[in-house]
Amino acid sequence: MKKYIYILFVITCFFACKANDPDIDDLVITSEKQIAKIIEADKGRLYTLNEFQDQFMTEEGNWLSDEHQYRTRAKYTKNGRTYYLFSIDTLPTAGKGIYIRGRVTTDDYGGNFYKSLCIQQIVNGQQQSLRISVDAGSISGMYPLGQEILIRCNGLAIGRYANQPQLCVPSYNNNQLATNATQKVGWAPGRISLPAFKRAVTYIGTPDKSKLQYDEMNITEYTNLLTVGGEERKLDGNLVRIKNVHYTGQYSNNGSPANCSTGDPETDVNSNVFAPTTTNIGYPQGRIVVDANGNKTIVSNSEYAKFARFYLPPSNYTGDIEGILGFYVDNGTSAAKYGLAWDDWSITIRNLDDLHLTDTQGNPWPRIEYSNK
Amino acid sequence: MGVYSATTVQGVVLDQETKTPIAKGTVTLGNAGISVRTNARGEYTFPSVEVGEEELIIEADGYVSDIEVVNIDAEPITLNVVLRPDVSYQAKEELLVNLSEVDLNDDEGKTQSQSSNMSASQDVFNSISSFAWSTVRYRARGYEQTYEQNYIGGLSFNAMERGTFNFSAMGGLNDASRYKEIVNSMESNNFTFGGIGASTNYLMNAQRYAKGWKVNLGGTNRNYKIKASATYATGPLKNGWAFAAQVGWRFSPYIDNKGIIGEGIAYNSIGAFFTAEKNWGSDKRLTLIALASSANRGQSAAVTQEVYDLVGSINYNPYWGYQDGKVRNSRVVKSIDPTVIGTFEWKVNDQHALRFGLGIHYNFYSNSALTFYNAPDPRPDYYRNLPSALWDGQINSDGKFIKTDMNGKNLGKPFVGWDGQKVGPSIDEKKYNELVQLWKDRDDQTTQIDWDALYGANYMGNKLNPEGSAKYILERRHNDIGEVALNVFYTYDSKKHLKVTVGLDGKYGIGVHYKTVDDLLGGKQWIDVDAFSERDIKELATNIGLTQDDVKKVKQNNIFNPNQKVGEDDKFGYRYNIDMAKVTLWAQNDWSYNFLDFYYALGITYSEMTRSTSMINGRAWYLAQLNPKRADIYLGPDYKSILNAAKNGSGSPKTWFKGYDYNFVDPAFKLGLTYKINGRNRIKVNALAATQAPLARDAYIAPRVHDRVIAGMYKHNNANSLKDYYAADQKIVSADLTYEFNFPIVRGRITGFYTQFWNGTELNGYYDDEARTYVNQSITGIDRRHFGGEVALSVKCGTYITITGATSVGDYRYISNADAITSAENGMALATNSLTGKPIFELKDKVLMNGLHVSTGPQVNASIKVSFFHPKMWFADVTLSYFDWNYLDFAPSRRMQGLYTDIRSDKSNVNGSYEDIGAVLKDDKTGEPICDKYGTPKLKHPYNKLSDQESLVADRVWDRFVIDASVGKLIYFKNGQSLSVNLNLSNLSNNTHLKTGGYQQARLPRQTKQGVSEKDGNSVISPNVWKFPSKYYYAWGTNFYLSLTYKF
């Protein structure tokens, strides 16, 4: 009998090797206490997103050490002060933990965001935000819309790419064929590798879209802020809702609105769809929306977006547009020469559900795709 | 002297333990130079032997050879001989089964190297090549496993779809599979027509097994750790019956982790075997065999050298990770494999005999793998997660890191990387070192599958959208094989010179393919759509001038069950069967004379195959829209009803649609001759010519998606000429010449062989970075030739010691360029016609493979073995082996003619070729490309790294040597019981530089030229040729197998 019990024991042990599904509570932290505990154990400090940028992001960047200062970078001078459009400040690896937290406001399923996330944090009812560059496609699959995350930033960097602040790592941009390459080639904010990012991040709870806060704005509230190095760096990356606008069927031709064509979006870069081809240069395509007072702003779309070949909504469809607010200036020379313009601002929608447009009867905008048949 | 006199010598050769007859043994008269083979009853006869002293040499596979010196006078002599089973040989066989089984998992085409040679036999050459060379996956004469035929009880058991034998069907049943007859290459064969490779027939009739119990216990540090088996046989009973049975269990009680052989591999395999035999007198025999095995075992993957070096172990396996503190492998093979065989043999009279056989076999085989949808790639060794991913964009066209910026200013100093190589200066040292450290420390989240993160992503997805698809699941890819084999076999023995053998082999087989959800990993459901097509849908729509809405079916895996939600164990993805049938009729005449034996044989094979599916894939539907006139090639003959049903939404998700039938008639002819110069020396010649229909595995370009077959099969089905009829078939011609010698001290052989193959087929699938989509590629018209020599020598040094040596030197290479057709699996256009501006969906091009080596293991193998045998039943041996000329499987996608010349063979232009970037070496004066002797243009450094075939041979000469040893003792007890102990040590010097295989990645590194339109060629080949480096398998370091066998 003993023998059989023993055999049974061996067999049981063998099959007992099957691992149990992890409990969600083991994968996420759920209470403020737990967050405090983690930070305390690390002798760290939790910064708000604005504190974090104020504390660690300098104008020139600490990467501008002797060995890196050869680089020619896009910069912009105003009132005798130089503003750098590209910068990197590395954060110490050792020492006290540098923590930030925020809720993911982006979703890359629509194809309008690629290898990047935006997070927001509500501090005293006000939104603060930060962009994050991660070297992994479909990153929203792991960090979805509405997910709050805690990030230990040690060893990473905070920098600006085309004046847009982001959590990043230093990376040498060697794209010599890019537009304005002479100003861009050099050290710039680059993408954090997925292994490094996963190690830095802890989930706080589970995703909750309802907790996302939109800054309800009129266009002029941000297009009037045409400075570099000021408030626009804080607003960049915010989740916004622009009230009461409609598409005009136009794009910005170096600051002047121009009508889109009816051409084939496969060949015509100005076709009246969200994002016709850029012949693979890959720059985002801007389309103009205006409010009731005629104030213009750009809605920015990638030609790789799933909705890129949909026709622009006709101008009789009006309503709110949601998305990420951006202030993108990658060319210091032209900024200095021509001055900053309203079309340096843009809204990046996550997908077509971000367009809440209806006609006067309240009918939603019908989504129609381009077809050459 | 002077008086000529002759007499008869006859007898029976018996197994020492079982006292059962040994069939197919060879008995040779050393002086007269005559040999005969023993029949099924172990009998041999020399009708006319000269009087005088003779040396009788008795040999049989699996037995220690014996030499008897006899004085022959005028009286007929009856000399019965008992042969002792070769115990060390038996212990080693167990190791071979293990090796062969591990490698059978190649359900993804090129993911695994081929198995080792299983045709071990007593032939000096084969006994060394099978064991000592198995470490490096030696393949006899460089032939793939499909050329090795395996039979059980005379019935063919090579699976029809893949052409290979599933050794795990006999997993752990080493006793059951002990007795076999092996015919090397094309030699005269009396159980099948045979082929260019070895044919093995496992003889499993119950009388062969020794009466009594046999209990075996083994321990090893390989993929499994413990083996236990028990065999019982009744021996022949008075009523004419005999029974034998074995059960075997191989398992790992624990799973090894980091750095140990078998890393991350769970193993549990049980085998059972039963055989019954009934004899009615000596002329009728019924044999029933039942075999079953069940296996559950983890797998390992080939990885790049960077990964091996970073983790510092050749045993690294990226397939596993920790979950709940336990090792969990993402790739687990599950197999249940029952077989039933019945044969009836009827010896009509002394001259005529008949045999009937029927076998049924069903293999429930599946393998798991991670799949993901709109989430980051979960593979730890995904190239973006490695330090070398930072190289991207930082390498100049000379293969070196950039040193200056655009203005010519110096970027600073490079730093020394973890491997001693200079890195940078445009790489951030800190970022680089952090990543390196994660790998060096073997951080669980970085270097293994992060199961928690996968569950986490699914939990988050559930919360966000409870109706949405899981981000990650573990899928199970099923490939069941069902086969029924039947044969009728007739022999006529004239008892003088002629023996006639006629066989009729019939076989029906079905390959059943589908996927199920193995584990939702915490997700709520999986939605059955194709992520690739979903991503590309915009272009797919544009290509045919339609909207995304119009073509949204393209992402469906079953257009008649769109967006199907599946849960655990539900079928999804694809579902198709391949039905196959085959009938071979063959006849052989063997003529035997004192100084000459010869044979000739003719075979004719009829075969057919049909694919049918119950899931009409959206990509097949889409391709039919693209080519409305040839919709049938994707959807089969029912295309009209399918398209109509798709249009009006009336299709049923359960209807099976049958594709076209493809049938083939293939003749084969062979002949051979043995000239016996004298008793000590003989010369053998064999030759074979045959055509071979493509295996179903190689016939369908993307069987999971559609019905499309390789080009030759259309020609074949619409043939007006013999040439067209054989357009899809491979043609083989082979010959060998052997000189054999057999002296009392020295014996051996020298063989030369030459084989040529024409019109072979190979299928590939890979992610194409230019088209940015997954493509399928069929390569046909592959011609190659294998020639070489084999030498074996055995020298007896006194009573105790024998020294044997064997070497095989070959040159196996492709002798022409082949034709490739490349198409996107989701129907994307791959290029644009520069004249018409129209999209091109199928690219036709040449693969410049003339002169490249066939990668089927080392082409130079050599061993010397010293064996010690003491009559008190001690035995030991040490083998020193050397391997060379071993080549990595090359990626045809990197050898396309268009890449070298800018223009494909279909006259379309290539965007981003070697030519475009000036990588083709050119003569300064003429401007013409400099070509190698096979006509392939040569490339400049570093681009030659992309195109050249790599050697797998270690740089240092001493890293090409392997030492194996074994020691054993057989103890006989007085009560007739015995205990044998055997220890095998492989790779004693722990050589960790032996690459056994791998593959060059098909993915060609590219970068995009910004500001240049796609039509103008914005995709250029990246100077970072290290981006998708080759992946390798290594031979295990030192490993052992200890075996204890007790018989009672």
Side-chain angles (χ1 to χ4, degrees):
Chain A
M1 190 61 195
K2 246 186 190 171
K3 194 168 69 183
Y4 295 112
I5 292 172
Y6 179 72
I7 291 169
L8 205 66
F9 173 75
V10 169
I11 293 171
T12 314
C13 285
F14 189 79
F15 289 104
C17 283
K18 198 180 179 319
N20 294 316
D21 284 4
D23 195 40
I24 189 152
D25 292 337
D26 296 335
L27 304 179
V28 304
I29 47 174
T30 45
S31 69
E32 294 300 319
K33 244 188 210 169
Q34 283 174 301
I35 298 171
K37 213 170 149 189
I38 288 173
I39 296 168
E40 197 187 304
D42 203 15
K43 296 195 178 78
R45 180 182 156 191
L46 180 67
Y47 295 84
T48 68
L49 296 178
N50 283 352
E51 282 170 352
F52 176 66
Q53 293 174 55
D54 292 342
Q55 175 89 27
F56 297 104
M57 187 174 73
T58 63
E59 191 56 47
E60 294 191 32
N62 67 9
W63 195 248
L64 200 72
S65 61
D66 286 346
E67 59 179 308
H68 300 122
Q69 66 183 347
Y70 44 81
R71 146 181 69 107
T72 313
R73 298 187 309 167
K75 54 187 179 244
Y76 166 72
T77 309
K78 193 180 177 186
N79 300 334
R81 202 175 150 194
T82 303
Y83 298 96
Y84 290 91
L85 303 175
F86 293 82
S87 76
I88 302 165
D89 281 281
T90 56
L91 302 167
T93 306
K96 294 174 178 173
I98 302 163
Y99 287 87
I100 55 171
R101 65 187 285 190
R103 195 174 290 280
V104 178
T105 55
T106 48
D107 179 22
D108 59 15
Y109 179 65
N112 218 20
F113 285 89
Y114 178 64
K115 294 193 172 182
S116 69
L117 294 171
C118 285
I119 56 170
Q120 71 166 208
Q121 185 182 21
I122 309 305
V123 181
N124 301 324
Q126 294 295 309
Q127 178 176 194
Q128 302 182 0
S129 67
L130 187 64
R131 295 174 187 268
I132 306 170
S133 279
V134 186
D135 192 12
S138 300
I139 188 70
S140 301
M142 215 157 243
Y143 305 101
L145 185 72
Q147 175 65 46
E148 195 180 5
I149 52 178
L150 177 72
I151 309 172
R152 187 179 189 273
C153 302
N154 298 63
L156 303 176
I158 170 88
R160 288 184 307 279
Y161 190 97
N163 201 42
Q164 298 184 316
Q166 52 203 278
L167 189 65
C168 58
V169 287
S171 165
Y172 190 84
N173 174 6
N174 190 34
N175 190 354
Q176 307 200 358
L177 291 157
T179 332
N180 302 321
T182 49
Q183 294 194 46
K184 285 182 193 163
V185 166
W187 289 95
R191 295 172 181 138
I192 305 164
S193 75
L194 186 61
F197 189 64
K198 270 165 64 183
R199 282 179 69 83
V201 174
T202 310
Y203 288 122
I204 304 173
T206 52
D208 189 346
K209 283 193 281 190
S210 69
K211 288 198 173 142
L212 293 175
Q213 183 172 312
Y214 291 80
D215 289 352
E216 300 216 348
M217 298 182 95
N218 292 316
I219 292 173
T220 46
E221 284 179 62
Y222 58 89
T223 50
N224 285 346
L225 299 171
L226 285 177
T227 55
V228 165
E231 194 58 20
E232 87 291 339
R233 286 185 186 161
K234 294 276 162 58
L235 276 180
D236 178 79
N238 274 19
L239 181 62
V240 296
R241 182 178 295 127
I242 310 300
K243 302 294 283 180
N244 220 10
V245 292
H246 64 264
Y247 277 87
T248 62
Q250 294 171 310
Y251 66 97
S252 167
N253 184 11
N254 286 324
S256 311
N259 289 334
C260 292
S261 72
T262 51
D264 181 347
E266 287 308 306
T267 49
D268 187 344
V269 295
N270 296 319
S271 177
N272 63 335
V273 296
F274 284 91
T277 180
T278 64
T279 61
N280 254 40
I281 302 171
Y283 58 82
Q285 294 273 51
R287 293 295 179 258
I288 295 174
V289 296
V290 296
D291 63 15
N293 301 322
N295 297 308
K296 304 179 291 288
T297 196
I298 294 285
V299 178
S300 167
N301 315 293
S302 160
E303 65 178 307
Y304 304 112
K306 291 195 169 87
F307 56 83
R309 303 295 193 264
F310 277 73
Y311 284 116
L312 293 173
S315 57
N316 58 327
Y317 288 87
T318 305
D320 301 347
I321 291 179
E322 294 167 351
I324 304 295
L325 185 61
F327 186 77
Y328 184 96
V329 186
D330 67 354
N331 188 342
T333 324
S334 70
K337 200 168 165 186
Y338 306 113
L340 296 163
W342 60 275
D343 64 345
D344 290 327
W345 288 97
S346 65
I347 315 292
T348 306
I349 58 171
R350 294 156 296 186
N351 52 55
L352 293 184
D353 294 341
D354 279 339
L355 305 179
H356 305 275
L357 306 174
T358 54
D359 65 10
T360 45
Q361 277 88 46
N363 298 315
W365 158 61
R367 298 172 186 184
I368 302 170
E369 276 183 80
Y370 172 84
S371 164
N372 62 7
K373 279 203 177 154
Chain B
M1 291 274 288
V3 180
Y4 175 82
S5 169
T7 186
T8 314
V9 177
Q10 61 180 24
V12 181
V13 181
L14 298 173
D15 180 301
Q16 187 195 44
E17 289 176 13
T18 62
K19 303 294 183 289
T20 52
I22 298 171
K24 319 279 180 199
T26 308
V27 184
T28 308
L29 292 173
N31 291 329
I34 306 166
S35 26
V36 292
R37 301 203 84 178
T38 57
N39 63 18
R41 291 180 297 280
E43 297 160 355
Y44 70 92
T45 310
F46 292 102
S48 174
V49 182
E50 280 184 46
V51 168
E53 195 178 85
E54 249 304 357
E55 196 179 84
L56 211 60
I57 305 155
I58 308 103
E59 296 162 297
D61 287 342
Y63 293 88
V64 177
S65 303
D66 192 18
I67 299 174
E68 304 273 337
V69 178
V70 282
N71 250 321
I72 294 166
D73 50 30
E75 293 301 309
I77 292 179
T78 299
L79 185 71
N80 297 339
V81 189
V82 287
L83 289 185
R84 180 172 56 78
D86 186 342
V87 184
S88 67
Y89 168 90
Q90 292 178 3
K92 283 174 182 169
E93 258 188 336
E94 173 60 31
L95 299 182
L96 275 191
V97 170
N98 184 211
L99 270 183
S100 307
E101 177 184 75
V102 167
D103 292 331
L104 265 176
N105 311 318
D106 59 332
D107 60 350
E108 285 178 0
K110 291 188 151 185
T111 56
Q112 290 274 25
S113 61
Q114 61 281 348
S115 91
S116 60
N117 228 31
M118 275 299 290
S119 56
S121 75
Q122 202 59 8
D123 175 89
V124 177
F125 180 84
N126 288 350
S127 71
I128 286 193
S129 64
S130 306
F131 299 126
W133 301 350
S134 65
T135 314
V136 290
R137 309 294 190 268
Y138 162 77
R139 301 286 324 163
R141 300 183 185 181
Y143 305 148
E144 291 81 355
Q145 216 190 334
T146 49
Y147 297 99
E148 202 177 276
Q149 300 297 313
N150 289 275
Y151 294 76
I152 302 177
L155 290 155
S156 164
F157 271 87
N158 276 40
M160 294 169 84
E161 191 176 332
R162 294 155 170 246
T164 55
F165 181 67
N166 180 11
F167 288 97
S168 68
M170 300 193 296
L173 301 172
N174 56 329
D175 276 338
S177 57
R178 169 136 308 143
Y179 303 102
K180 51 188 178 266
E181 48 188 325
I182 298 164
V183 177
N184 290 314
S185 71
M186 302 159 276
E187 286 174 8
S188 166
N189 192 327
N190 53 18
F191 57 89
T192 177
F193 179 81
I196 53 169
S199 308
T200 304
N201 184 22
Y202 293 92
L203 305 163
M204 294 187 172
N205 38 325
Q207 276 206 13
R208 291 182 184 279
Y209 300 91
K211 184 181 173 180
W213 282 95
K214 185 170 165 187
V215 179
N216 173 268
L217 199 63
T220 172
N221 63 339
R222 293 184 170 201
N223 285 350
Y224 63 86
K225 311 299 170 210
I226 295 170
K227 187 214 153 191
S229 82
T231 308
Y232 179 75
T234 61
L237 299 172
K238 278 179 190 158
N239 56 11
W241 282 96
F243 302 95
Q246 185 185 16
V247 284
W249 187 23
R250 290 173 301 156
F251 69 105
S252 259
Y254 56 91
I255 306 173
D256 282 320
N257 64 23
K258 298 169 184 174
I260 298 169
I261 291 177
E263 185 187 301
I265 291 177
Y267 198 106
N268 188 7
S269 163
I270 296 170
F273 162 69
F274 173 78
T275 176
E277 179 181 343
K278 164 78 176 170
N279 283 278
W280 290 272
S282 61
D283 55 357
K284 290 192 195 78
R285 175 160 73 174
L286 175 72
T287 307
L288 299 169
I289 301 163
L291 270 173
S293 73
S294 111
N296 204 325
R297 55 176 193 268
Q299 291 181 274
S300 60
V303 297
T304 63
Q305 194 59 43
E306 179 187 14
V307 175
Y308 282 124
D309 289 345
L310 275 168
V311 300
S313 168
I314 56 165
N315 298 317
Y316 170 72
N317 181 5
Y319 281 161
W320 66 276
Y322 288 107
Q323 182 182 324
D324 188 26
K326 289 171 181 156
V327 172
R328 182 177 187 188
N329 194 315
S330 61
R331 301 272 183 144
V332 177
V333 168
K334 287 185 180 170
S335 168
I336 296 175
D337 204 337
T339 304
V340 184
I341 296 164
T343 60
F344 181 72
E345 289 158 81
W346 178 30
K347 204 178 160 200
V348 183
N349 56 36
D350 265 6
Q351 291 188 312
H352 301 277
L354 276 167
R355 190 183 74 203
F356 305 90
L358 174 69
I360 300 168
H361 171 224
Y362 199 92
N363 182 10
F364 300 88
Y365 179 92
S366 67
N367 189 6
S368 61
L370 278 172
T371 187
F372 54 105
Y373 177 74
N374 285 314
D377 197 314
R379 290 172 294 176
D381 61 332
Y382 182 58
Y383 79 101
R384 301 294 318 166
N385 299 340
L386 295 167
S388 63
L390 303 178
W391 284 200
D392 230 10
Q394 314 302 333
I395 306 275
N396 263 330
S397 58
D398 61 359
K400 292 180 178 153
F401 283 101
I402 52 167
K403 290 192 179 73
T404 54
D405 71 3
M406 278 184 86
N407 302 318
K409 284 190 182 162
N410 210 321
L411 287 176
K413 283 184 184 162
F415 60 94
V416 178
W418 63 276
D419 54 356
Q421 303 291 316
K422 280 187 183 170
V423 178
S426 67
I427 306 286
D428 176 27
E429 185 173 359
K430 198 174 118 211
K431 181 168 74 169
Y432 167 86
N433 280 331
E434 275 170 7
L435 203 49
V436 165
Q437 213 49 48
L438 287 174
W439 278 93
K440 293 202 109 166
D441 295 344
R442 290 209 64 174
D443 173 62
D444 293 341
Q445 283 185 340
T446 307
T447 64
Q448 305 304 145
I449 289 174
D450 188 356
W451 291 103
D452 281 352
L454 309 187
Y455 276 89
N458 282 344
Y459 291 153
M460 302 308 158
N462 293 345
K463 185 76 196 309
L464 203 59
N465 180 9
E467 300 298 310
S469 187
K471 299 292 173 197
Y472 297 96
I473 60 166
L474 199 61
E475 65 179 27
R476 185 153 280 286
R477 300 164 183 167
H478 298 258
N479 179 6
D480 295 352
I481 295 169
E483 293 191 322
V484 179
L486 143 150
N487 78 3
V488 183
F489 186 87
Y490 162 78
T491 50
Y492 162 75
D493 191 343
S494 72
K495 296 287 170 192
K496 280 183 181 164
H497 298 297
L498 174 67
K499 203 174 149 190
V500 178
T501 315
V502 180
L504 179 71
D505 296 321
K507 207 168 174 188
Y508 165 76
I510 183 167
V512 179
H513 302 256
Y514 60 97
K515 282 202 289 196
T516 54
V517 178
D518 200 47
D519 191 338
L520 282 168
L521 305 177
K524 292 237 187 268
Q525 63 265 314
W526 177 258
I527 296 179
D528 190 14
V529 294
D530 176 62
F532 270 123
S533 337
E534 189 172 67
R535 203 200 52 195
D536 294 334
I537 194 164
K538 201 170 56 205
E539 275 151 294
L540 294 170
T542 313
N543 282 342
I544 52 174
L546 294 173
T547 65
Q548 292 175 43
D549 199 46
D550 293 332
V551 300
K552 65 184 177 194
K553 278 196 186 81
V554 71
K555 69 176 185 180
Q556 299 301 334
N557 286 328
N558 185 352
I559 59 170
F560 297 135
N561 196 0
N563 301 315
Q564 188 198 0
K565 284 184 180 177
V566 289
E568 279 171 20
D569 296 331
D570 289 344
K571 292 187 177 77
F572 77 105
Y574 54 85
R575 196 168 178 203
Y576 70 93
N577 292 344
I578 307 259
D579 286 274
M580 293 150 291
K582 191 172 174 179
V583 180
T584 303
L585 177 67
W586 59 277
Q588 178 174 301
N589 288 358
D590 282 271
W591 297 86
S592 180
Y593 297 91
N594 276 354
F595 287 94
L596 193 71
D597 294 342
F598 66 93
Y599 71 90
Y600 44 82
L602 185 68
I604 193 137
T605 300
Y606 168 83
S607 60
E608 59 177 43
M609 63 176 98
T610 314
R611 172 187 177 270
S612 49
T613 182
S614 68
M615 282 175 73
I616 298 296
N617 189 293
R619 271 79 73 212
W621 168 85
Y622 175 82
L623 287 161
Q625 310 290 309
L626 274 180
N627 307 282
K629 284 182 190 160
R630 290 312 315 274
D632 63 321
I633 66 175
Y634 300 103
L635 295 171
D638 294 328
Y639 70 99
K640 277 185 190 156
S641 66
I642 293 170
L643 290 175
N644 277 334
K647 212 175 212 173
N648 53 36
S650 63
S652 153
K654 288 188 176 158
T655 314
W656 280 86
F657 296 96
K658 205 163 164 286
Y660 285 112
D661 277 326
Y662 297 93
N663 43 53
F664 302 87
V665 175
D666 289 290
F669 179 69
K670 68 173 186 173
L671 50 83
L673 178 150
T674 303
Y675 174 61
K676 297 172 247 187
I677 302 166
N678 56 38
R680 304 289 180 193
N681 302 282
R682 59 176 62 189
I683 289 173
K684 289 182 182 174
V685 181
N686 298 292
L688 176 145
T691 68
Q692 259 186 352
L695 290 167
R697 177 189 73 173
D698 298 329
Y700 292 91
I701 290 171
R704 292 169 188 187
V705 180
H706 50 61
D707 231 29
R708 176 120 215 211
V709 289
I710 55 171
M713 285 174 63
Y714 295 113
K715 260 193 191 167
H716 165 85
N717 262 22
N718 302 298
N720 290 320
S721 66
L722 205 60
K723 194 180 163 205
D724 281 356
Y725 187 84
Y726 286 103
D729 285 51
Q730 180 169 248
K731 291 96 186 170
I732 304 173
V733 167
S734 180
D736 63 20
L737 173 68
T738 299
Y739 165 63
E740 259 179 21
F741 51 95
N742 202 341
F743 297 96
I745 305 276
V746 185
R747 63 189 177 109
R749 71 165 162 100
I750 302 169
T751 300
F753 59 88
Y754 185 97
T755 303
Q756 197 152 320
F757 300 82
W758 291 272
N759 200 31
T761 303
E762 193 182 302
L763 298 180
N764 293 309
Y766 59 93
Y767 185 84
D768 183 286
D769 275 61
E770 192 199 346
R772 300 194 185 90
T773 192
Y774 190 83
V775 298
N776 291 303
Q777 187 173 61
S778 69
I779 300 166
T780 54
I782 301 174
D783 303 338
R784 57 194 170 119
R785 63 130 175 73
H786 294 223
F787 78 90
E790 298 161 345
V791 179
L793 197 67
S794 170
V795 183
K796 272 205 152 70
C797 304
T799 319
Y800 300 130
I801 291 175
T802 307
I803 299 175
T804 45
T807 180
S808 163
V809 179
D811 186 76
Y812 319 139
R813 64 170 87 216
Y814 299 98
I815 51 169
S816 75
N817 295 327
D819 302 303
I821 298 180
T822 310
S823 56
E825 181 152 312
N826 65 13
M828 283 251 290
L830 295 177
T832 311
N833 184 313
S834 55
L835 297 175
T836 63
K838 283 191 176 160
I840 306 175
F841 299 94
E842 283 195 349
L843 301 175
K844 297 188 176 76
D845 205 358
K846 284 268 177 207
V847 187
L848 304 186
M849 58 202 279
N850 189 10
L852 295 190
H853 302 275
V854 178
S855 56
T856 45
Q859 302 186 5
V860 170
N861 305 264
S863 285
I864 184 153
K865 174 172 157 184
V866 180
S867 315
F868 167 85
F869 172 72
H870 189 275
K872 291 207 165 152
M873 306 310 278
W874 278 101
F875 38 87
D877 61 55
V878 180
T879 310
L880 176 71
S881 307
Y882 174 83
F883 306 103
D884 211 330
W885 295 6
N886 197 4
Y887 302 93
L888 185 70
D889 201 4
F890 64 93
S893 63
R894 296 179 171 203
R895 304 271 309 180
M896 291 296 173
Q897 177 181 289
L899 286 173
Y900 296 87
T901 59
D902 234 10
I903 297 172
R904 295 184 190 90
S905 64
D906 62 6
K907 309 280 184 234
S908 63
N909 289 320
V910 178
N911 279 345
S913 62
Y914 301 138
E915 169 68 25
D916 268 354
I917 52 166
V920 177
L921 275 174
K922 292 192 176 164
D923 188 302
D924 288 343
K925 284 178 193 158
T926 63
E928 291 296 310
I930 300 171
C931 297
D932 64 16
K933 63 176 174 179
Y934 301 100
T936 302
K938 291 182 182 175
L939 297 189
K940 283 177 194 163
H941 176 79
Y943 300 96
N944 57 346
K945 179 114 182 108
L946 296 174
S947 62
D948 291 357
Q949 187 171 27
E950 230 180 285
S951 166
L952 289 172
V953 176
D955 290 339
R956 293 182 306 194
V957 173
W958 57 87
D959 286 334
R960 303 173 197 170
F961 284 95
V962 178
I963 306 168
D964 302 318
S966 79
V967 58
K969 162 85 178 151
L970 180 60
I971 307 159
Y972 283 111
F973 301 108
K974 279 184 182 154
N975 53 10
Q977 299 179 355
S978 72
L979 174 71
S980 77
V981 184
N982 214 285
L983 175 67
N984 271 282
L985 295 163
S986 301
N987 194 358
L988 261 180
S989 62
N990 194 26
N991 181 349
T992 54
H993 298 90
L994 278 175
K995 287 177 189 154
T996 57
Y999 55 96
Q1000 186 179 33
Q1001 292 201 61
R1003 217 175 152 175
L1004 198 59
R1006 287 181 176 273
Q1007 62 187 31
T1008 305
K1009 265 194 200 171
Q1010 285 199 358
V1012 179
S1013 83
E1014 210 157 348
K1015 285 180 191 109
D1016 297 333
N1018 70 352
S1019 170
V1020 290
I1021 292 167
S1022 164
N1024 181 11
V1025 299
W1026 298 272
K1027 191 168 173 182
F1028 302 114
S1030 303
K1031 296 191 172 187
Y1032 310 103
Y1033 292 103
Y1034 276 88
W1036 286 325
T1038 304
N1039 63 90
F1040 74 93
Y1041 186 83
L1042 176 68
S1043 163
L1044 298 169
T1045 306
Y1046 184 56
K1047 290 182 193 171
F1048 58 99

